[in-house]
Amino acid sequence: MRSLVYFGLALPVVTFAACVAVAADASDDFYSQFVVGHYELIGKRPDGTATYQGQVSIFRGQKSLGVRRTINGQVVEGSAAFEAAPRAETRVLRMRFTDRGTSYECTCLVQGDLDNYARLTCHRYRQDGGTRQPGLEALFPTGADRW
């Protein structure tokens, strides 16, 4: 009888945990579809004042999101994923790539613009923690893939 009581108490907890996990997966899947597309990029390099512009494509790979950045004719590819933000109750898009031998990470907030496309604002920094002042990036949807 006691084991039946324990089962009755444990079942709601396990069910709730499973529902939260499914909801997080469903939310990530929605956002993953939402961010796929082509963007114009405006940015400022980490630890400096130099600005740059280019294009970014976020695409769905076989198992995860991929990213292709084109700045000054140089193409860099990397990965992207939605992850929990430390010390916050939200999820962010993290893009990881290597540029000129240095591994970078961008942590991006995702918002909808007035046309219901994704607009991203990001902090860019070195993965090894060697960034004193993070870079900034803003990605604006071109809509080219949606017309």
Side-chain angles (χ1 to χ4, degrees), residues 87-146:
R87 299 182 307 245
E89 294 181 13
T90 189
R91 297 186 67 75
V92 294
L93 179 68
R94 290 239 166 77
M95 296 186 281
R96 294 176 176 92
F97 55 91
T98 300
D99 186 8
R100 299 182 189 114
T102 303
S103 295
Y104 288 99
E105 186 171 280
C106 286
T107 298
C108 305
L109 295 176
V110 179
Q111 299 281 329
D113 69 6
L114 296 176
D115 292 321
N116 294 323
Y117 295 128
R119 185 175 298 169
L120 290 73
T121 53
C122 312
H123 278 116
R124 177 180 170 184
Y125 46 89
R126 293 169 54 135
Q127 283 186 340
D128 65 8
T131 305
R132 292 179 311 279
Q133 178 73 33
L136 303 171
E137 294 190 345
L139 283 72
F140 299 92
T142 64
D145 53 326
R146 294 173 170 93

Side-chain angles (χ1 to χ4, degrees), residues 12-33:
V13 172
V14 171
T15 303
F16 177 75
C19 289
V20 168
V22 168
D25 288 345
S27 176
D28 284 355
D29 189 49
F30 168 78
Y31 279 110
S32 292
Q33 292 176 23

Side-chain angles (χ1 to χ4, degrees), residues 35-102:
V35 299
V36 167
H38 303 288
Y39 298 87
E40 288 294 323
L41 163 69
I42 300 171
K44 179 185 81 65
R45 295 207 184 277
D47 294 327
T49 58
T51 59
Y52 54 93
Q53 66 88 31
Q55 293 80 38
V56 174
S57 294
I58 300 174
F59 55 91
R60 189 176 281 287
Q62 283 200 263
K63 295 184 179 181
S64 63
L65 293 175
V67 61
R68 183 175 302 113
R69 300 165 54 89
T70 307
I71 300 169
N72 294 327
Q74 180 181 357
V75 178
V76 173
E77 293 197 3
S79 63
F82 281 92
E83 300 174 3
R87 299 182 307 245
E89 294 181 13
T90 189
R91 297 186 67 75
V92 294
L93 179 68
R94 290 239 166 77
M95 296 186 281
R96 294 176 176 92
F97 55 91
T98 300
D99 186 8
R100 299 182 189 114
T102 303

